[in-house]
Every structure is written in C-alpha cells, then in structure tokens.
C-alpha cells in the first residue's frame, strides 16, 4: 500500500475545529476548550481495571491470559500484527479486554516501527486508520504515537495531531500522556511542519500543547513526585518534557516564519489560526509554574543550590532554565511585531497581547518589552480607534495597560523612551480620555471593566513619572490634568472595591506629577500652564482633594494628604487650601486615631506654616497644643517619623516670631522641651545598641529646635538669629 495512505479522514474523531471561513470570529470556529470529567464513571478504564461483577479468580485468569497473549505477540511477525489490527477496523465502542488486547498489539507495533523506514509504512498507516473512530483514548493515543514515530509529514502528520488534540482536550487523559512518548513525538512532528504550508497540523498540534502545558494534574503530580524523588519528578511534568524537547525554540522559529510572510502578505485563513494557537500555547507554557525557575518543588530547589555550592557548577536543570528564558526572551519582539501586523484581526491580536501580559511578569522578558514600550503605546491607541464597540477593546487595553505598567515600574529607559515619543504619549492620553468619558461600571463578557482599564492606564502614568524629567514633562502635558480631575470627581466617594482601587491609582499619579511640577523654571521664569495640564487644573484638583480629606470615612485620606503635601509647596495652592477651610480640616486629621493620617497631614501643615498668614488661623484652632501632643506621641511610641515632622512644624510656626512666649505659651514651651530632651536621650533609648536610621534623621531637627527654645528663653524671649531659617 503506498505511503500516501493518510490519516486525514480521522477528523471525524478529532472533532475538527473547522476549516477557515470568512466569518469575523476566529475563535468561535475553533472550539478548543478543554472538557472536564464530570464523574468518576466517565473516566476511561485502563487495561487492567477491575470490573466489580467479576470474581477475584476470574480477574487472575484474565491476567494470565493477557500475559500469555503478550508473549505470543512478541513472537508474531509485523504482518501478523497488522492483520490482527485490521480485524478491529471500524471499531468504536469496546470493553476492557478488547482495549487491553488492541493496546498490547499497538505497543508491540510501536517498538518495531519507531524511527524505522521502509515501504511497509503505507500498510501500517492503513491498518491504523481503521482504529481512529475507537472510543478508548488509550487506543487513539497509541495510534497517534505510532504515526508520529514514523516521522510522517503532510496529511499524515495533520491526522496524528488531530488525534493528539482530541485526547489532550480531556484532562483525565493526562496520565496517559505521562506514560507515553507522545509529548516528545508531538514536538518532533511540529518541527517537521511549517505554520504556513502545514498550518492545519500546527493548529491542532499547538492546540494540544496548550492543553498539556496548562495541565493542573501534570503540575501537581510533578510536584509530588519531585518531593519524593528529587530531579526525577521533573520528568513527570508534561510542560517540562515538552520544553526539554525544544518546544520553546520551535515556537520562536515558527513565529519568525509567520512574521516573515505577514510582512509582505496579509495573514488569513489557516496560517492566522495557527498563529492564534501558537500564541496561546506559548502563553500556557510561560505561565506554567514548572517552567523556568520553578520546575521543581522547593525541596528540590534546595538540593540544586546545595549541588551548585558543592561543585561550583550549575545543575542541568539550571542550565535548561537559562536556555528556556533565552528562548522566551526571543519570542517577545516577535510577538510584539505579530500584534502590530494583526491590527485588522482583533481576536488574534488580543490573544497575542494576553501572551505578552504573562511574559511581562518575568524580569528577563520585561526587559525586552521595555525596548518596545513606545510601540506598545502606539498599539494601545490603535485598539481604541479600530474597535467597533467599547466592550470589545476592554480586554486588550486592560492587558496592554498591565504590560506597560510592569515595564514602567522596572525600567527607567522605557519611561524616557515612551515620554520622548509624542505619538505614544498622545495615544496613552487619548485612550485615557476615551474611557474616562464612559460609564466606569461598564464591563465585557470576560469581566474586564472600564474602571479596571483606567486603573491600569493611570498606573502607567504614575510609574513613568518616577523619573524626574518625565514627571516634569508630563505635569505640563495637556489634557492630563483635565482627565485626572474628571476621574477624581467620579470616584471621590467610591462605593465599590474597583472604584476605590481607581481612586488610589489616581492619587498615586497625582502624587508623582505634583512632586515634579514647578511653575517657575530654573532661571526663575514663570511660564503659563497649558490648558488642561496638571498645572492649569491644580487649583481645582486641590479643592476636590480637600473635600475627600474632610470625609471621615474615606479610606484614601492619608494618600490625599500626601498629594497635598506636594501641592502646598506652591504659594497659590496654599491660598486655595486656606480658602477651602483647609486648616480646620487639618485639625480633624491631626487629632484622629490614625497615625499615618496624622503624619501625612502634618506634612501639609509644615508647608502651610511657612506663610505668616496661616499662623493666626493655626493658633485659633489650638495648633500649638496639637503639635505638642503629636510630638509627645511620637516620642512615647518611638515613632521618630511622627516626632520629626512635628518638630519641623513647630520650627516653621516659630520661624519669625518676636515673642516666643506669647506665640507658644510657657506651659507648651516646657512640655515641648521635656519631650525633646527625652527623645534625644540616646543612652536611655538605646543603651549599648546602635540607634536606628529614623532616629538619626529625627535627632538633628530635634536638637536644633531644643537649642532654639532654650537660647531664646534664656535671652529673655528675644528673637533668635537662626529664626529666619525655615525647615520644610
């Protein structure tokens, strides 16, 4: 029989994902969803399963018969084995004994045909074809293994991949894969396929890989076995076995091939489906906890470390990890390019970006993404422009925001690169503005919401502004101030966890932006703020923040005080703060039961007391008494941050006073001096131990304040020469 005899007709058994069609959705034509076993009765029995109705003696007789049958198979010719298989041609349902007998024939045939070549391959394929409709997964897997072992290509390879895919869909079959060579043979088979010319084989092959690498059973079994047997447990993980066979390298190669074609021709049909499955398989492989740096349990990791210390050389597993990481790094720019070329295929693009979001969690891959940060920003803007509805773009924007957030939190080069690319910055701000004008509670079918997307996008801005130059530049960029103010107004009374998270993200961005904002440049020139920028809307933002700070039940009050601590360095904002009844709001915060709120609010007070006009209102709300109590609490609790900032506030309050006794009062002066002296008693506080760093920061400020109080009082309450120096 000629070698062209194929398993192509096995698509009935493989439940084909469907041929390419002009339908808009690629995913809906490929139902590659994994089926779960619903009950123990659905589990496929093995060849030696015990049927409850049979007696123990009957089972022993059956075992003897199977052993005798296996001995006979060992001495049978290959032609005889094929004739035995042909006798079962067209078989569908079968009992345990039949499954055991056919499995024994197939196992013997596998040993004989593995890596062999000859004219009889057509006869073998013909005999195997009659079994592809069998209901037993064990038989189907053995059939697929034999076909793959013969190094087939073309339609025969496609048929084998369909069989493997069909079996891999059911998670209960993972144990069958663990006890076979099919995972390795599948990688070898995909290595003989082209994602362009043999795209159907890649569709089913990578679909199977996605199920096998995402197997929870394989991972748990690998961990358990690794605990008992060290490195041997790695062999039980399907993901590790696939990776060791070169799956990562193969995926990178196939991505290069697809990108090369897509650079000159619009991808469509089966190659596009192959890219979809390839990116999904790469995502599950990268996300598998048994791959790259976490292949084995902590016990085995400890053994590897001990081995490395003892021998001075990395273990074989560590060397494999390095190789896998290198391959995953190479996949990053290829996936970014593929996402750019799939701009007209939103579902494929979304799948690729999901893979990049998983890779962004790995530091090595995140570094490669940092190089492409500005391109990802441009991609973000294109998604909003091309999506037909608001809901359809949510998932992709959510994941792109997550990727860029990870990148900006780690790499300063990415912050600078992104900021220097006007197209990227404009795309980010346009996307922010687009979603900020929608209902924050809107969600898609997968649960991605407007609030989640905005949170991720705002974190990009916040992480970018960690860099001083970027923060200064972004504070002058329109319409960022307008956007953040609108979001702040909508979430200031957040009622849900999502909106509360968005509130905190917005405050984080405002904190970084306000820290670097300067209305006057280094040469002393005052520039008018751009309409809609942070500088132009800062007064309105300050008013909104005061309203939040005045809300006793708002959990974001401490964060609001931090932002106001930056803003009130500006004289015009201090005026706005006073106009919003800010001093009375501060009194409420400074007398609260929350230490963090007391400290951050005192930071605002330090700035406010730098203005003479703020000191009278401060005295009217019993400010000196509040500060003395705050200082005493800090000293008593050894909270040197609290004590230190209270000292700074007292210093600024007394900065240009001509009558300290009238300004503070003798009682308050004595109590403050007592607290300062106690806080500076190093021997009493620490004994023979070294003081901590926080006390080291507190001590100079406290010493200066104590000396000033003592000198001024000893000089008859006359002004001190050092009183013109402001602490802030």
């Amino acid at each position: 029989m000629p070698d062209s005899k194929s398993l192509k007709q096995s698509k009935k058994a493989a439940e084909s994902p469907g041929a390419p069609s002009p339908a808009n959705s690629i995913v809906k034509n490929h139902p590659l969803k994994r089926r779960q076993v619903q009950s123990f009765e659905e589990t496929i029995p093995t060849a030696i399963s015990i049927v409850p109705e049979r007696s123990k003696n009957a089972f022993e007789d059956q075992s003897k018969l199977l052993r005798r049958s296996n001995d006979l198979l060992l001495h049978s010719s290959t032609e005889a084995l094929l004739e035995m298989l042909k006798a079962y041609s067209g078989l569908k349902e079968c009992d345990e004994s039949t499954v055991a007998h056919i499995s024994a024939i197939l196992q013997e045939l596998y040993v004989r045909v593995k890596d062999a070549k000859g004219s009889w391959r057509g006869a073998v394929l013909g005999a195997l074809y009659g079994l592809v409709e069998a209901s037993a997964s064990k038989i189907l897997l053995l059939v697929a293994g034999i076909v793959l072992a013969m190094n087939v290509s073309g339609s025969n390879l496609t048929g084998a991949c369909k069989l493997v895919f069909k079996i891999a869909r059911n998670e209960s079959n993972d144990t069958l894969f663990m006890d076979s060579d099919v995972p390795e043979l599948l990688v070898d088979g995909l290595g003989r396929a082209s994602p362009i010319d043999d795209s159907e084989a890649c569709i089913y092959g990578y679909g199977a890989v996605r199920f096998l690498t995402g197997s929870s059973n394989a991972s748990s079994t690998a961990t358990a076995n690794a605990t008992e047997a060290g490195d041997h447990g790695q062999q039980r993980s399907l993901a590790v076995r696939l990776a060791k066979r070169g799956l990562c390298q193969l995926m990178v190669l196939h991505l290069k091939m697809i990108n090369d074609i897509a650079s000159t021709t619009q991808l469509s049909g089966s190659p596009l489906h192959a890219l979809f499955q390839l990116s999904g398989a790469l995502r599950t492989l990268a996300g598998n906890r048994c791959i790259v740096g976490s292949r084995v349990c902590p016990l085995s990791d400890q053994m590897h470390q001990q081995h490395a210390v003892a021998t001075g050389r990395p273990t074989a597993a560590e060397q494999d990890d390095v190789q896998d990481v290198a391959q995953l790094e190479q996949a990053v720019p290829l996936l970014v390019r593929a996402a750019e070329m799939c701009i007209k295929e939103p579902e494929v693009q979304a799948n690729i970006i999901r893979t990049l979001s998983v890779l962004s969690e790995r530091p090595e891959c995140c570094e490669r993404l940092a190089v492409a940060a500005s391109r990802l920003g441009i991609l973000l803007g294109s998604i909003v422009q091309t999506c037909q509805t608001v809901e359809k773009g949510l998932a992709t924007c959510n994941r792109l925001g997550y990727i860029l957030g990870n990148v900006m939190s780690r790499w300063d080069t990415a912050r600078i690169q992104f900021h220097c690319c006007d197209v990227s910055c404009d795309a980010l701000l346009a996307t922010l503005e687009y979603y900020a004008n929608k209902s924050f509670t809107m969600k898609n079918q997968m649960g991605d919401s407007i609030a989640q997307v905005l949170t991720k996008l705002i974190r990009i801005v916040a992480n970018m502004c960690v860099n001083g130059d970027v923060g200064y530049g972004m504070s002058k960029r329109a319409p960022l101030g307008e956007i953040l103010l609108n979001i702040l107004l909508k979430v200031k009374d957040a009622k849900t966890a999502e909106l509360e998270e968005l509130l905190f993200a917005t405050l984080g961005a405002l904190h970084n932006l306000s820290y670097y904002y300067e209305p006057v440049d280094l040469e002393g020139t005052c520039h008018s703020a751009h309409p809609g920028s942070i500088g132009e809307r800062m007064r309105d933002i300050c008013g909104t923040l005061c309203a939040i700070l005045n809300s006793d039940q708002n959990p974001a009050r401490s964060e609001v005080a931090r932002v106001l601590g930056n803003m009130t360095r500006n004289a015009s904002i201090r005026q706005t703060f006073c106009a919003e009844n800010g001093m009375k709001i501060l009194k409420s915060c400074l007398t609260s039961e929350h230490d963090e709120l007391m400290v951050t609010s005192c930071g605002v007070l330090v700035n406010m007391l730098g203005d003479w006009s703020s000191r009278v209102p401060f005295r009217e709300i019993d400010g000196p008494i509040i500060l003395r109590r705050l200082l005493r609490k800090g000293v008593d609790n050894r909270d040197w941050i609290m004590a230190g900032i209270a000292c700074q506030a007292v210093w600024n309050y007394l900065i240009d006073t001509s009558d300290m006794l009238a300004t503070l009062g003798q009682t308050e002066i004595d109590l403050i001096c007592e607290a300062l002296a106690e806080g500076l008693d190093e021997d009493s506080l620490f004994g023979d131990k070294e003081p901590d760093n926080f006390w080291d920061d507190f001590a100079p400020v406290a010493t200066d304040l104590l000396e000033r109080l003592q000198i001024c009082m000893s000089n008859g309450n006359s002004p001190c020469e050092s009183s013109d120096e402001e602490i802030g």
Side-chain angles (χ1 to χ4, degrees), residues 110-155:
Y110 172 75
V111 173
R112 300 187 187 190
V113 305
K114 186 178 182 182
D115 297 324
K117 297 180 180 179
S119 59
W120 44 264
R121 295 197 337 161
V124 175
L125 292 171
L128 295 175
Y129 166 68
L131 299 175
V132 295
E133 293 188 5
S135 60
S137 295
K138 185 174 184 180
I139 292 176
L140 295 178
L141 189 63
L142 287 167
V143 169
I146 295 172
V147 176
L148 290 171
M150 290 192 294
N151 297 322
V152 296
S153 59
S155 58

Side-chain angles (χ1 to χ4, degrees), residues 64 235 456 697 699:
K64 291 178 181 178
Q235 304 303 325
K456 303 253 186 344
D697 293 334

Side-chain angles (χ1 to χ4, degrees), residues 687-709:
D688 297 332
K689 298 179 180 178
E690 288 292 326
D692 59 48
N693 293 332
F694 295 115
W695 186 86
D696 287 339
D697 293 334
F698 159 78
V701 180
T703 301
D704 287 347
L705 178 60
L706 180 60
E707 289 179 354
R708 180 180 180 189
L709 291 172

Side-chain angles (χ1 to χ4, degrees), residues 223 225-231 233-234 296-305:
T223 303
N225 290 345
T227 305
E228 298 174 3
D231 291 350
Q234 296 181 56
V296 290
C297 67
L299 176 62
S300 295
D301 281 339
Q302 185 178 4
M303 293 170 62
H304 291 329
Q305 292 171 3

